[in-house]
Amino acid sequence: MSHILPELPYAYDALEPYIDARTMEIHHTRHHQAYITNLNAAIKDKVELQQMSVDQLIRNLDEIPEEIRTIVRNHGGGHANHSFFWPLLKKDVALAGPIADAITADFGSFENFREKFTAAATRVFGSGWAWLTVDNRKLEIVATPNQDSPIMLGKIPVLGLDVWEHAYYLLYQNRRPDYIAAFFNVINWEKVNDNFLAAVN
Amino acid sequence: MSTDQHAVVSPLTLPSLPYPDNALAPVISANTLGFHYGKHHRGYVDNLNKLVAGTDFADLPLPKIISETAGKPDKATIFNNAAQIWNHTFYWNSLRAAGGGQPPALLKEKIEASFGTLDACKKELAAAAMAQFGSGWAWLVLDGDKIKVVKTANAEVPMTAGQKPLLTIDVWEHAYYLDYQNRRLDYVQAVLDKLINWDFAAENLG
């Protein structure tokens, strides 16, 4: 089984003006596709690995043959992270439901969560991601370098933000904080809530 | 030159670009250089000055700040900003308008001794630039008596591995994204063919 590029659940311009259509198209058709192409090439002779989902592949990297482990970590991670990321984005979805209560319970307030998540995303040096994860039923903010996933750390992501420069450079250039602020206008909280319920149940 | 370029101590100032910001076009646009030099490089200088103000580091020259903080997790933010200042200054000097072509004789001889041909050396540099996953740098270095190609992640520098940098190519996405987007290889090949400053690399041989 080859991994294939998942379709976006919306048009490339659906997130304008917060994330532009050109960025979305290149990010999806070039960057995400490249991770998939490289992952498929790495496992093309490994029949047993081809039966596994990408999340299964990156969950136990120690069990991946050493000669392809870094490729699976980087490009499998890239495929998993981007596949997870796209459905998290949607305009005009209000924060509601159990995820809203859990954020208040674990961070004191939504504003405090927002501040901590923004700080984590701003602080990633170089390429990487900021995440809201569930670990032992508790929400946590985690940052990972490059295409490392919280799944590799045994944590379950419910929200993630790509802070590789390719995610924002065409529209925001060096102004990563502006991109992070814009992201808060396109979080699909219904999807985050679904992810949260799946993680705690 | 490579180690003296930041001999002035605190507060550090942003070194001038060694050419106008349109000098490298069309390989690297004035728009890219405007952000890269005017925002990214300047940002590292501003950050470092804030980080070291009132500390013992404030009185140290940049190379010393880098060597004193390298490999120390509690000093990572200082190291990152300091090393990125140094790396960018070194990068600007590694490029020039109408660069590329043939290295000076002594450097060419050493390159051929290590790689066989200049072309093989350029291929290895391009391969290192492509293989650097995420943000980082590709370098031509002197390691003992041998010329080598290495890559470093994020702000890391070859000096910490005892290698002497001769030239570098920035492969952080901000170095090429406005002009090349995901096509890092096109950027790297154009830099190697048209901008790389072999004279600067030869000077660094010492």
Side-chain angles (χ1 to χ4, degrees):
Chain A
M1 181 194 82
S2 276
H3 296 273
I4 54 166
L5 184 67
E7 280 188 34
L8 287 193
Y10 41 75
Y12 288 126
D13 64 0
L15 308 172
E16 295 264 12
Y18 305 109
I19 304 177
D20 60 296
R22 183 164 177 244
T23 293
M24 289 302 297
E25 182 165 6
I26 296 171
H27 201 173
H28 181 240
T29 62
R30 304 293 172 176
H31 291 279
H32 191 171
Q33 180 62 60
Y35 295 124
I36 293 169
T37 303
N38 290 328
L39 174 64
N40 283 335
I43 62 173
K44 73 173 170 24
D45 299 322
K46 316 275 185 196
V47 176
E48 71 288 4
L49 299 183
Q50 290 170 8
Q51 312 307 313
M52 296 165 72
S53 72
V54 68
D55 286 3
Q56 288 172 322
L57 283 173
I58 64 170
R59 186 168 290 125
N60 295 300
L61 282 173
D62 289 351
E63 291 166 22
I64 302 293
E66 202 180 340
E67 75 272 15
I68 61 166
R69 192 176 299 151
T70 300
I71 301 177
V72 171
R73 175 178 178 172
N74 289 341
H75 297 274
H79 177 31
N81 291 342
H82 287 84
S83 300
F84 179 78
F85 184 53
W86 307 129
L88 294 172
L89 305 176
K90 192 178 181 181
K91 281 200 290 196
D92 302 323
V93 183
L95 172 62
I99 183 66
D101 300 335
I103 284 175
T104 306
D106 290 339
F107 296 99
S109 67
F110 177 76
E111 275 318 306
N112 190 41
F113 155 72
R114 181 185 169 120
E115 205 174 286
K116 288 200 158 64
F117 187 91
T118 297
T122 304
R123 268 201 309 267
V124 172
F125 186 76
S127 304
W129 292 73
W131 307 91
L132 181 63
T133 67
V134 173
D135 188 18
N136 208 9
R137 302 187 71 83
K138 202 169 156 56
L139 290 172
E140 277 182 355
I141 291 166
V142 174
T144 58
N146 296 324
Q147 293 297 352
D148 285 3
S149 160
I151 295 172
M152 298 172 189
L153 309 169
K155 299 174 192 293
I156 304 171
V158 298
L159 174 68
L161 176 60
D162 188 347
V163 292
W164 281 57
E165 288 174 322
H166 67 231
Y168 62 86
Y169 210 79
L170 295 178
L171 190 56
Y172 297 95
Q173 296 85 44
N174 59 299
R175 302 185 309 281
R176 188 193 288 181
D178 291 355
Y179 161 70
I180 298 168
F183 168 68
F184 276 88
N185 293 301
V186 294
I187 297 177
N188 182 353
W189 287 110
E190 282 174 21
K191 181 67 183 172
V192 181
N193 193 54
D194 291 346
N195 291 341
F196 174 69
L197 293 177
V200 294
N201 289 332
Chain B
M1 175 167 196
S2 60
T3 49
D4 291 338
Q5 61 196 0
H6 285 296
V8 177
V9 293
S10 170
L12 284 156
T13 52
L14 179 67
S16 306
L17 261 190
Y19 31 72
D21 67 5
N22 62 358
L24 306 181
V27 175
I28 298 175
S29 67
N31 190 31
T32 290
L33 269 195
F35 284 108
H36 200 174
Y37 172 73
K39 301 293 183 183
H40 292 277
H41 198 179
R42 184 183 301 280
Y44 296 124
V45 172
D46 292 346
N47 286 343
L48 186 69
N49 279 329
K50 277 181 217 151
L51 287 164
V52 302
T55 74
D56 293 347
F57 291 112
D59 298 323
L60 297 181
L62 188 68
K64 192 80 177 155
I65 298 178
I66 295 170
S67 61
E68 296 271 314
T69 55
K72 296 179 181 163
D74 61 322
K75 299 285 190 293
T77 308
I78 294 176
F79 172 82
N80 286 340
N81 284 284
Q84 283 295 80
I85 298 171
W86 194 92
N87 290 343
H88 280 89
T89 306
F90 198 77
Y91 171 62
W92 308 134
N93 286 308
S94 297
L95 309 177
R96 68 167 191 207
Q102 296 291 315
L106 177 64
L107 176 61
K108 193 174 181 201
E109 222 170 84
K110 281 185 168 289
I111 284 175
E112 286 171 351
S114 293
F115 300 95
T117 63
L118 175 64
D119 204 42
C121 172
K122 286 166 67 179
K123 281 202 173 104
E124 205 170 308
L125 268 168
M130 291 307 291
Q132 178 52 48
F133 190 77
S135 303
W137 302 80
W139 304 82
L140 193 68
V141 301
L142 191 63
D143 191 353
D145 196 33
K146 215 168 151 52
I147 295 193
K148 284 185 184 168
V149 166
V150 297
K151 57 187 168 66
T152 61
N154 294 331
E156 295 293 329
V157 293
M159 294 87 87
T160 49
Q163 296 161 333
K164 186 176 190 190
L166 302 179
L167 61 79
T168 193
I169 301 173
D170 189 346
V171 293
W172 282 59
E173 287 174 323
H174 65 231
Y176 59 88
Y177 212 79
L178 296 177
D179 297 331
Y180 298 88
Q181 298 84 47
N182 60 301
R183 302 186 312 280
R184 184 190 287 189
L185 184 59
D186 290 351
Y187 153 75
V188 170
Q189 283 179 336
V191 163
L192 283 169
D193 289 341
K194 295 173 181 156
L195 298 182
I196 210 76
N197 186 347
W198 293 116
D199 289 343
F200 177 66
E203 284 168 30
N204 289 321
L205 275 178

